[in-house]
PDB file of all heavy atoms in Angstrom:
ATOM      1  N   GLY A   1      38.763  40.355   4.394  1.00 85.00           N
ATOM      2  CA  GLY A   1      38.121  41.290   5.442  1.00 85.00           C
ATOM      3  C   GLY A   1      37.035  42.061   5.058  1.00 85.00           C
ATOM      4  O   GLY A   1      36.462  42.809   5.891  1.00 85.00           O
ATOM      5  N   SER A   2      36.622  42.056   3.794  1.00 88.00           N
ATOM      6  CA  SER A   2      35.514  42.878   3.355  1.00 88.00           C
ATOM      7  C   SER A   2      34.135  42.460   3.812  1.00 88.00           C
ATOM      8  O   SER A   2      33.255  43.160   3.722  1.00 88.00           O
ATOM      9  CB  SER A   2      35.531  42.948   1.764  1.00 88.00           C
ATOM     10  OG  SER A   2      35.310  41.669   1.241  1.00 88.00           O
ATOM     11  N   GLY A   3      34.163  41.132   4.115  1.00 91.00           N
ATOM     12  CA  GLY A   3      32.817  40.555   4.683  1.00 91.00           C
ATOM     13  C   GLY A   3      32.179  39.424   3.956  1.00 91.00           C
ATOM     14  O   GLY A   3      31.133  38.887   4.348  1.00 91.00           O
ATOM     15  N   LYS A   4      32.955  38.943   2.926  1.00 93.00           N
ATOM     16  CA  LYS A   4      32.457  37.917   1.962  1.00 93.00           C
ATOM     17  C   LYS A   4      32.132  36.633   2.901  1.00 93.00           C
ATOM     18  O   LYS A   4      31.027  35.954   2.862  1.00 93.00           O
ATOM     19  CB  LYS A   4      33.270  37.610   0.811  1.00 93.00           C
ATOM     20  CG  LYS A   4      33.540  38.777  -0.088  1.00 93.00           C
ATOM     21  CD  LYS A   4      34.362  38.356  -1.276  1.00 93.00           C
ATOM     22  CE  LYS A   4      35.609  37.592  -1.000  1.00 93.00           C
ATOM     23  NZ  LYS A   4      36.666  38.473  -0.290  1.00 93.00           N
ATOM     24  N   SER A   5      33.305  36.191   3.513  1.00 93.00           N
ATOM     25  CA  SER A   5      33.092  35.048   4.398  1.00 93.00           C
ATOM     26  C   SER A   5      32.184  35.220   5.478  1.00 93.00           C
ATOM     27  O   SER A   5      31.455  34.183   5.815  1.00 93.00           O
ATOM     28  CB  SER A   5      34.454  34.592   4.967  1.00 93.00           C
ATOM     29  OG  SER A   5      35.411  34.316   3.869  1.00 93.00           O
ATOM     30  N   MET A   6      31.990  36.266   6.085  1.00 94.00           N
ATOM     31  CA  MET A   6      31.049  36.530   7.141  1.00 94.00           C
ATOM     32  C   MET A   6      29.664  36.300   6.608  1.00 94.00           C
ATOM     33  O   MET A   6      28.807  35.709   7.199  1.00 94.00           O
ATOM     34  CB  MET A   6      31.278  37.995   7.775  1.00 94.00           C
ATOM     35  CG  MET A   6      30.261  38.398   8.747  1.00 94.00           C
ATOM     36  SD  MET A   6      30.321  37.300  10.232  1.00 94.00           S
ATOM     37  CE  MET A   6      31.949  37.696  10.866  1.00 94.00           C
ATOM     38  N   LEU A   7      29.458  36.891   5.363  1.00 96.00           N
ATOM     39  CA  LEU A   7      28.135  36.640   4.817  1.00 96.00           C
ATOM     40  C   LEU A   7      27.772  35.176   4.593  1.00 96.00           C
ATOM     41  O   LEU A   7      26.689  34.841   4.965  1.00 96.00           O
ATOM     42  CB  LEU A   7      28.098  37.487   3.446  1.00 96.00           C
ATOM     43  CG  LEU A   7      26.821  37.224   2.588  1.00 96.00           C
ATOM     44  CD1 LEU A   7      25.556  37.712   3.363  1.00 96.00           C
ATOM     45  CD2 LEU A   7      26.904  38.061   1.205  1.00 96.00           C
ATOM     46  N   PHE A   8      28.718  34.523   3.990  1.00 96.00           N
ATOM     47  CA  PHE A   8      28.457  33.103   3.749  1.00 96.00           C
ATOM     48  C   PHE A   8      28.238  32.290   4.983  1.00 96.00           C
ATOM     49  O   PHE A   8      27.362  31.533   4.937  1.00 96.00           O
ATOM     50  CB  PHE A   8      29.757  32.464   2.928  1.00 96.00           C
ATOM     51  CG  PHE A   8      29.890  32.849   1.549  1.00 96.00           C
ATOM     52  CD1 PHE A   8      28.930  33.672   0.941  1.00 96.00           C
ATOM     53  CD2 PHE A   8      30.898  32.276   0.761  1.00 96.00           C
ATOM     54  CE1 PHE A   8      29.042  33.977  -0.413  1.00 96.00           C
ATOM     55  CE2 PHE A   8      30.944  32.625  -0.603  1.00 96.00           C
ATOM     56  CZ  PHE A   8      30.028  33.444  -1.088  1.00 96.00           C
ATOM     57  N   LYS A   9      28.979  32.614   6.119  1.00 94.00           N
ATOM     58  CA  LYS A   9      28.778  31.907   7.365  1.00 94.00           C
ATOM     59  C   LYS A   9      27.423  32.246   7.894  1.00 94.00           C
ATOM     60  O   LYS A   9      26.790  31.417   8.512  1.00 94.00           O
ATOM     61  CB  LYS A   9      29.840  32.217   8.221  1.00 94.00           C
ATOM     62  CG  LYS A   9      31.260  31.527   7.842  1.00 94.00           C
ATOM     63  CD  LYS A   9      32.392  31.953   8.700  1.00 94.00           C
ATOM     64  CE  LYS A   9      33.646  31.157   8.169  1.00 94.00           C
ATOM     65  NZ  LYS A   9      34.888  31.609   8.931  1.00 94.00           N
ATOM     66  N   CYS A  10      26.997  33.463   7.751  1.00 96.00           N
ATOM     67  CA  CYS A  10      25.647  33.842   8.278  1.00 96.00           C
ATOM     68  C   CYS A  10      24.545  33.018   7.484  1.00 96.00           C
ATOM     69  O   CYS A  10      23.581  32.577   7.980  1.00 96.00           O
ATOM     70  CB  CYS A  10      25.327  35.292   8.125  1.00 96.00           C
ATOM     71  SG  CYS A  10      26.145  36.278   9.403  1.00 96.00           S
ATOM     72  N   LEU A  11      24.757  32.978   6.164  1.00 96.00           N
ATOM     73  CA  LEU A  11      23.823  32.304   5.200  1.00 96.00           C
ATOM     74  C   LEU A  11      23.636  30.836   5.635  1.00 96.00           C
ATOM     75  O   LEU A  11      22.581  30.200   5.528  1.00 96.00           O
ATOM     76  CB  LEU A  11      24.150  32.409   3.896  1.00 96.00           C
ATOM     77  CG  LEU A  11      24.231  33.814   3.142  1.00 96.00           C
ATOM     78  CD1 LEU A  11      24.604  33.643   1.728  1.00 96.00           C
ATOM     79  CD2 LEU A  11      22.860  34.444   3.286  1.00 96.00           C
ATOM     80  N   CYS A  12      24.736  30.324   6.222  1.00 94.00           N
ATOM     81  CA  CYS A  12      24.708  28.826   6.606  1.00 94.00           C
ATOM     82  C   CYS A  12      24.242  28.605   8.052  1.00 94.00           C
ATOM     83  O   CYS A  12      24.114  27.425   8.495  1.00 94.00           O
ATOM     84  CB  CYS A  12      26.129  28.246   6.412  1.00 94.00           C
ATOM     85  SG  CYS A  12      26.807  28.212   4.735  1.00 94.00           S
ATOM     86  N   GLY A  13      24.009  29.691   8.851  1.00 94.00           N
ATOM     87  CA  GLY A  13      23.565  29.441  10.156  1.00 94.00           C
ATOM     88  C   GLY A  13      24.694  29.447  11.119  1.00 94.00           C
ATOM     89  O   GLY A  13      24.378  29.056  12.315  1.00 94.00           O
ATOM     90  N   PHE A  14      25.877  29.686  10.662  1.00 94.00           N
ATOM     91  CA  PHE A  14      27.025  29.444  11.556  1.00 94.00           C
ATOM     92  C   PHE A  14      27.322  30.601  12.525  1.00 94.00           C
ATOM     93  O   PHE A  14      27.934  30.462  13.531  1.00 94.00           O
ATOM     94  CB  PHE A  14      28.435  29.159  10.707  1.00 94.00           C
ATOM     95  CG  PHE A  14      28.267  27.840   9.904  1.00 94.00           C
ATOM     96  CD1 PHE A  14      29.189  27.600   8.912  1.00 94.00           C
ATOM     97  CD2 PHE A  14      27.594  26.828  10.201  1.00 94.00           C
ATOM     98  CE1 PHE A  14      29.135  26.435   8.167  1.00 94.00           C
ATOM     99  CE2 PHE A  14      27.560  25.664   9.602  1.00 94.00           C
ATOM    100  CZ  PHE A  14      28.332  25.417   8.484  1.00 94.00           C
ATOM    101  N   ILE A  15      26.944  31.758  12.044  1.00 94.00           N
ATOM    102  CA  ILE A  15      27.150  33.040  12.781  1.00 94.00           C
ATOM    103  C   ILE A  15      25.840  33.799  12.870  1.00 94.00           C
ATOM    104  O   ILE A  15      25.029  33.813  11.978  1.00 94.00           O
ATOM    105  CB  ILE A  15      28.245  33.914  12.089  1.00 94.00           C
ATOM    106  CG1 ILE A  15      29.608  33.186  12.203  1.00 94.00           C
ATOM    107  CG2 ILE A  15      28.176  35.304  12.685  1.00 94.00           C
ATOM    108  CD1 ILE A  15      30.741  34.022  11.489  1.00 94.00           C
ATOM    109  N   GLN A  16      25.627  34.300  13.981  1.00 94.00           N
ATOM    110  CA  GLN A  16      24.246  34.923  14.294  1.00 94.00           C
ATOM    111  C   GLN A  16      24.415  36.411  13.809  1.00 94.00           C
ATOM    112  O   GLN A  16      25.205  37.163  14.314  1.00 94.00           O
ATOM    113  CB  GLN A  16      23.925  34.856  15.805  1.00 94.00           C
ATOM    114  CG  GLN A  16      22.568  35.520  16.177  1.00 94.00           C
ATOM    115  CD  GLN A  16      22.112  35.180  17.565  1.00 94.00           C
ATOM    116  OE1 GLN A  16      22.937  34.790  18.261  1.00 94.00           O
ATOM    117  NE2 GLN A  16      20.876  35.275  17.862  1.00 94.00           N
ATOM    118  N   PRO A  17      23.504  36.816  12.997  1.00 95.00           N
ATOM    119  CA  PRO A  17      23.483  38.282  12.567  1.00 95.00           C
ATOM    120  C   PRO A  17      23.007  39.104  13.581  1.00 95.00           C
ATOM    121  O   PRO A  17      22.194  38.638  14.611  1.00 95.00           O
ATOM    122  CB  PRO A  17      22.621  38.272  11.286  1.00 95.00           C
ATOM    123  CG  PRO A  17      21.728  37.103  11.428  1.00 95.00           C
ATOM    124  CD  PRO A  17      22.568  36.110  12.135  1.00 95.00           C
ATOM    125  N   THR A  18      23.418  40.422  13.630  1.00 95.00           N
ATOM    126  CA  THR A  18      22.919  41.306  14.526  1.00 95.00           C
ATOM    127  C   THR A  18      21.495  41.741  14.427  1.00 95.00           C
ATOM    128  O   THR A  18      20.673  41.863  15.215  1.00 95.00           O
ATOM    129  CB  THR A  18      23.758  42.686  14.523  1.00 95.00           C
ATOM    130  OG1 THR A  18      25.066  42.225  14.754  1.00 95.00           O
ATOM    131  CG2 THR A  18      23.352  43.584  15.618  1.00 95.00           C
ATOM    132  N   SER A  19      21.117  41.635  13.022  1.00 95.00           N
ATOM    133  CA  SER A  19      19.732  41.978  12.732  1.00 95.00           C
ATOM    134  C   SER A  19      19.500  41.422  11.204  1.00 95.00           C
ATOM    135  O   SER A  19      20.446  41.122  10.533  1.00 95.00           O
ATOM    136  CB  SER A  19      19.375  43.444  12.779  1.00 95.00           C
ATOM    137  OG  SER A  19      20.253  44.264  11.958  1.00 95.00           O
ATOM    138  N   GLY A  20      18.143  41.395  10.831  1.00 96.00           N
ATOM    139  CA  GLY A  20      17.819  41.045   9.526  1.00 96.00           C
ATOM    140  C   GLY A  20      17.437  39.566   9.441  1.00 96.00           C
ATOM    141  O   GLY A  20      17.399  38.830  10.542  1.00 96.00           O
ATOM    142  N   LYS A  21      17.074  39.093   8.273  1.00 96.00           N
ATOM    143  CA  LYS A  21      16.411  37.691   8.126  1.00 96.00           C
ATOM    144  C   LYS A  21      17.120  37.095   6.860  1.00 96.00           C
ATOM    145  O   LYS A  21      17.439  37.706   5.960  1.00 96.00           O
ATOM    146  CB  LYS A  21      14.934  37.827   8.030  1.00 96.00           C
ATOM    147  CG  LYS A  21      14.297  38.233   9.323  1.00 96.00           C
ATOM    148  CD  LYS A  21      12.728  37.950   9.263  1.00 96.00           C
ATOM    149  CE  LYS A  21      12.061  38.313  10.537  1.00 96.00           C
ATOM    150  NZ  LYS A  21      10.611  38.008  10.539  1.00 96.00           N
ATOM    151  N   ILE A  22      17.084  35.762   6.907  1.00 96.00           N
ATOM    152  CA  ILE A  22      17.642  35.007   5.854  1.00 96.00           C
ATOM    153  C   ILE A  22      16.630  33.892   5.528  1.00 96.00           C
ATOM    154  O   ILE A  22      16.082  33.176   6.431  1.00 96.00           O
ATOM    155  CB  ILE A  22      18.889  34.253   6.236  1.00 96.00           C
ATOM    156  CG1 ILE A  22      20.027  35.333   6.669  1.00 96.00           C
ATOM    157  CG2 ILE A  22      19.548  33.459   5.038  1.00 96.00           C
ATOM    158  CD1 ILE A  22      21.179  34.837   7.298  1.00 96.00           C
ATOM    159  N   TRP A  23      16.367  33.603   4.240  1.00 96.00           N
ATOM    160  CA  TRP A  23      15.560  32.497   3.894  1.00 96.00           C
ATOM    161  C   TRP A  23      16.309  31.623   2.816  1.00 96.00           C
ATOM    162  O   TRP A  23      16.877  32.197   1.944  1.00 96.00           O
ATOM    163  CB  TRP A  23      14.179  32.889   3.201  1.00 96.00           C
ATOM    164  CG  TRP A  23      13.259  33.613   4.130  1.00 96.00           C
ATOM    165  CD1 TRP A  23      12.309  33.022   4.892  1.00 96.00           C
ATOM    166  CD2 TRP A  23      13.216  34.993   4.357  1.00 96.00           C
ATOM    167  NE1 TRP A  23      11.704  34.027   5.729  1.00 96.00           N
ATOM    168  CE2 TRP A  23      12.191  35.338   5.342  1.00 96.00           C
ATOM    169  CE3 TRP A  23      13.948  36.229   3.936  1.00 96.00           C
ATOM    170  CZ2 TRP A  23      11.965  36.564   5.769  1.00 96.00           C
ATOM    171  CZ3 TRP A  23      13.623  37.423   4.322  1.00 96.00           C
ATOM    172  CH2 TRP A  23      12.664  37.575   5.361  1.00 96.00           C
ATOM    173  N   VAL A  24      16.305  30.377   3.027  1.00 95.00           N
ATOM    174  CA  VAL A  24      16.880  29.338   1.987  1.00 95.00           C
ATOM    175  C   VAL A  24      15.775  28.442   1.680  1.00 95.00           C
ATOM    176  O   VAL A  24      15.306  27.707   2.510  1.00 95.00           O
ATOM    177  CB  VAL A  24      18.137  28.740   2.628  1.00 95.00           C
ATOM    178  CG1 VAL A  24      18.576  27.779   1.654  1.00 95.00           C
ATOM    179  CG2 VAL A  24      19.232  29.667   2.937  1.00 95.00           C
ATOM    180  N   PHE A  25      15.401  28.326   0.437  1.00 94.00           N
ATOM    181  CA  PHE A  25      14.282  27.538  -0.023  1.00 94.00           C
ATOM    182  C   PHE A  25      13.090  27.808   0.776  1.00 94.00           C
ATOM    183  O   PHE A  25      12.437  26.901   1.314  1.00 94.00           O
ATOM    184  CB  PHE A  25      14.692  26.064   0.039  1.00 94.00           C
ATOM    185  CG  PHE A  25      15.913  25.580  -0.899  1.00 94.00           C
ATOM    186  CD1 PHE A  25      17.046  25.288  -0.399  1.00 94.00           C
ATOM    187  CD2 PHE A  25      15.780  25.704  -2.275  1.00 94.00           C
ATOM    188  CE1 PHE A  25      18.206  24.846  -1.195  1.00 94.00           C
ATOM    189  CE2 PHE A  25      16.760  25.363  -3.165  1.00 94.00           C
ATOM    190  CZ  PHE A  25      17.972  25.034  -2.552  1.00 94.00           C
ATOM    191  N   GLU A  26      12.867  29.056   1.088  1.00 91.00           N
ATOM    192  CA  GLU A  26      11.662  29.677   1.599  1.00 91.00           C
ATOM    193  C   GLU A  26      11.596  29.379   3.084  1.00 91.00           C
ATOM    194  O   GLU A  26      10.596  29.553   3.818  1.00 91.00           O
ATOM    195  CB  GLU A  26      10.399  29.114   0.964  1.00 91.00           C
ATOM    196  CG  GLU A  26      10.226  29.584  -0.542  1.00 91.00           C
ATOM    197  CD  GLU A  26       8.999  29.223  -1.102  1.00 91.00           C
ATOM    198  OE1 GLU A  26       8.297  28.251  -0.724  1.00 91.00           O
ATOM    199  OE2 GLU A  26       8.673  29.859  -2.119  1.00 91.00           O
ATOM    200  N   GLU A  27      12.531  28.795   3.633  1.00 93.00           N
ATOM    201  CA  GLU A  27      12.715  28.316   5.087  1.00 93.00           C
ATOM    202  C   GLU A  27      13.526  29.422   5.783  1.00 93.00           C
ATOM    203  O   GLU A  27      14.742  29.683   5.321  1.00 93.00           O
ATOM    204  CB  GLU A  27      13.235  26.996   5.293  1.00 93.00           C
ATOM    205  CG  GLU A  27      13.309  26.560   6.798  1.00 93.00           C
ATOM    206  CD  GLU A  27      13.815  25.217   6.959  1.00 93.00           C
ATOM    207  OE1 GLU A  27      14.230  24.467   5.991  1.00 93.00           O
ATOM    208  OE2 GLU A  27      13.708  24.740   8.143  1.00 93.00           O
ATOM    209  N   GLU A  28      13.139  30.058   6.758  1.00 94.00           N
ATOM    210  CA  GLU A  28      13.858  31.036   7.497  1.00 94.00           C
ATOM    211  C   GLU A  28      15.054  30.476   8.326  1.00 94.00           C
ATOM    212  O   GLU A  28      14.755  29.442   9.005  1.00 94.00           O
ATOM    213  CB  GLU A  28      13.062  31.894   8.559  1.00 94.00           C
ATOM    214  CG  GLU A  28      13.747  33.052   9.153  1.00 94.00           C
ATOM    215  CD  GLU A  28      12.933  33.959   9.971  1.00 94.00           C
ATOM    216  OE1 GLU A  28      11.637  33.742   9.952  1.00 94.00           O
ATOM    217  OE2 GLU A  28      13.502  34.796  10.645  1.00 94.00           O
ATOM    218  N   ILE A  29      16.196  30.903   8.027  1.00 93.00           N
ATOM    219  CA  ILE A  29      17.444  30.312   8.673  1.00 93.00           C
ATOM    220  C   ILE A  29      17.814  31.075   9.941  1.00 93.00           C
ATOM    221  O   ILE A  29      17.941  32.366   9.959  1.00 93.00           O
ATOM    222  CB  ILE A  29      18.626  30.307   7.749  1.00 93.00           C
ATOM    223  CG1 ILE A  29      18.236  29.555   6.445  1.00 93.00           C
ATOM    224  CG2 ILE A  29      19.841  29.751   8.386  1.00 93.00           C
ATOM    225  CD1 ILE A  29      17.783  28.213   6.714  1.00 93.00           C
ATOM    226  N   LYS A  30      17.890  30.337  11.072  1.00 89.00           N
ATOM    227  CA  LYS A  30      18.300  31.025  12.424  1.00 89.00           C
ATOM    228  C   LYS A  30      19.724  30.424  12.645  1.00 89.00           C
ATOM    229  O   LYS A  30      20.276  29.505  12.089  1.00 89.00           O
ATOM    230  CB  LYS A  30      17.297  30.569  13.464  1.00 89.00           C
ATOM    231  CG  LYS A  30      15.842  30.842  13.216  1.00 89.00           C
ATOM    232  CD  LYS A  30      15.624  32.322  13.505  1.00 89.00           C
ATOM    233  CE  LYS A  30      14.102  32.688  13.372  1.00 89.00           C
ATOM    234  NZ  LYS A  30      13.831  34.109  13.582  1.00 89.00           N
ATOM    235  N   TYR A  31      20.270  31.121  13.562  1.00 90.00           N
ATOM    236  CA  TYR A  31      21.686  30.863  14.076  1.00 90.00           C
ATOM    237  C   TYR A  31      21.550  29.429  14.620  1.00 90.00           C
ATOM    238  O   TYR A  31      20.774  29.034  15.454  1.00 90.00           O
ATOM    239  CB  TYR A  31      22.111  31.682  15.186  1.00 90.00           C
ATOM    240  CG  TYR A  31      23.401  31.291  15.830  1.00 90.00           C
ATOM    241  CD1 TYR A  31      24.517  31.100  15.111  1.00 90.00           C
ATOM    242  CD2 TYR A  31      23.422  31.158  17.146  1.00 90.00           C
ATOM    243  CE1 TYR A  31      25.673  30.748  15.797  1.00 90.00           C
ATOM    244  CE2 TYR A  31      24.606  30.769  17.857  1.00 90.00           C
ATOM    245  CZ  TYR A  31      25.756  30.539  17.200  1.00 90.00           C
ATOM    246  OH  TYR A  31      26.854  30.250  17.833  1.00 90.00           O
ATOM    247  N   GLY A  32      22.423  28.557  14.029  1.00 87.00           N
ATOM    248  CA  GLY A  32      22.606  27.147  14.646  1.00 87.00           C
ATOM    249  C   GLY A  32      21.783  26.167  13.772  1.00 87.00           C
ATOM    250  O   GLY A  32      21.783  25.026  14.119  1.00 87.00           O
ATOM    251  N   LYS A  33      20.949  26.713  12.851  1.00 85.00           N
ATOM    252  CA  LYS A  33      20.161  25.835  12.050  1.00 85.00           C
ATOM    253  C   LYS A  33      20.735  25.687  10.657  1.00 85.00           C
ATOM    254  O   LYS A  33      20.500  26.738   9.879  1.00 85.00           O
ATOM    255  CB  LYS A  33      18.698  26.438  12.003  1.00 85.00           C
ATOM    256  CG  LYS A  33      17.782  25.602  11.229  1.00 85.00           C
ATOM    257  CD  LYS A  33      16.398  26.187  11.315  1.00 85.00           C
ATOM    258  CE  LYS A  33      15.327  25.419  10.519  1.00 85.00           C
ATOM    259  NZ  LYS A  33      14.001  26.030  10.574  1.00 85.00           N
ATOM    260  N   PHE A  34      21.238  24.675  10.270  1.00 87.00           N
ATOM    261  CA  PHE A  34      21.934  24.467   8.969  1.00 87.00           C
ATOM    262  C   PHE A  34      20.846  24.334   7.893  1.00 87.00           C
ATOM    263  O   PHE A  34      19.957  23.394   8.072  1.00 87.00           O
ATOM    264  CB  PHE A  34      22.938  23.338   9.025  1.00 87.00           C
ATOM    265  CG  PHE A  34      23.763  23.230   7.787  1.00 87.00           C
ATOM    266  CD1 PHE A  34      24.795  24.090   7.504  1.00 87.00           C
ATOM    267  CD2 PHE A  34      23.539  22.269   6.850  1.00 87.00           C
ATOM    268  CE1 PHE A  34      25.562  23.984   6.342  1.00 87.00           C
ATOM    269  CE2 PHE A  34      24.224  22.080   5.692  1.00 87.00           C
ATOM    270  CZ  PHE A  34      25.377  22.990   5.345  1.00 87.00           C
ATOM    271  N   PRO A  35      20.801  25.029   6.823  1.00 90.00           N
ATOM    272  CA  PRO A  35      19.840  24.928   5.783  1.00 90.00           C
ATOM    273  C   PRO A  35      19.848  23.557   5.132  1.00 90.00           C
ATOM    274  O   PRO A  35      20.880  22.815   4.928  1.00 90.00           O
ATOM    275  CB  PRO A  35      20.258  25.997   4.807  1.00 90.00           C
ATOM    276  CG  PRO A  35      21.084  26.940   5.565  1.00 90.00           C
ATOM    277  CD  PRO A  35      21.837  26.169   6.466  1.00 90.00           C
ATOM    278  N   LYS A  36      18.686  23.097   4.890  1.00 87.00           N
ATOM    279  CA  LYS A  36      18.568  21.745   4.095  1.00 87.00           C
ATOM    280  C   LYS A  36      18.999  22.028   2.651  1.00 87.00           C
ATOM    281  O   LYS A  36      18.920  23.032   2.203  1.00 87.00           O
ATOM    282  CB  LYS A  36      17.129  21.315   4.111  1.00 87.00           C
ATOM    283  CG  LYS A  36      16.643  21.020   5.599  1.00 87.00           C
ATOM    284  CD  LYS A  36      15.050  20.661   5.551  1.00 87.00           C
ATOM    285  CE  LYS A  36      14.444  20.418   6.906  1.00 87.00           C
ATOM    286  NZ  LYS A  36      13.068  20.063   6.868  1.00 87.00           N
ATOM    287  N   ASN A  37      19.441  20.884   2.045  1.00 92.00           N
ATOM    288  CA  ASN A  37      19.732  20.833   0.642  1.00 92.00           C
ATOM    289  C   ASN A  37      20.921  21.856   0.265  1.00 92.00           C
ATOM    290  O   ASN A  37      20.808  22.440  -0.738  1.00 92.00           O
ATOM    291  CB  ASN A  37      18.537  21.076  -0.239  1.00 92.00           C
ATOM    292  CG  ASN A  37      18.581  20.203  -1.409  1.00 92.00           C
ATOM    293  OD1 ASN A  37      19.437  19.562  -1.771  1.00 92.00           O
ATOM    294  ND2 ASN A  37      17.374  20.186  -2.096  1.00 92.00           N
TER     295      ASN A  37
END
């Protein structure tokens, strides 16, 4: 419940963050967009 799984799911595009940005291999990850590779 500390937030580890929530962070991982946001990084994968599974959960929409309230604010902020994520990049994976220089590609910005949006909610519902699973990162390549």
Side-chain angles (χ1 to χ4, degrees):
S2 63
K4 303 188 307 296
S5 295
M6 177 63 67
L7 173 61
F8 281 5
K9 288 175 181 177
C10 285
L11 297 179
C12 295
F14 293 159
I15 291 178
Q16 186 170 17
T18 304
S19 60
K21 293 188 176 184
I22 302 164
W23 294 268
V24 176
F25 298 111
E26 300 183 341
E27 182 178 8
E28 186 173 352
I29 301 305
K30 302 287 189 179
Y31 171 59
K33 180 180 181 181
F34 187 74
K36 296 176 183 177
N37 220 348

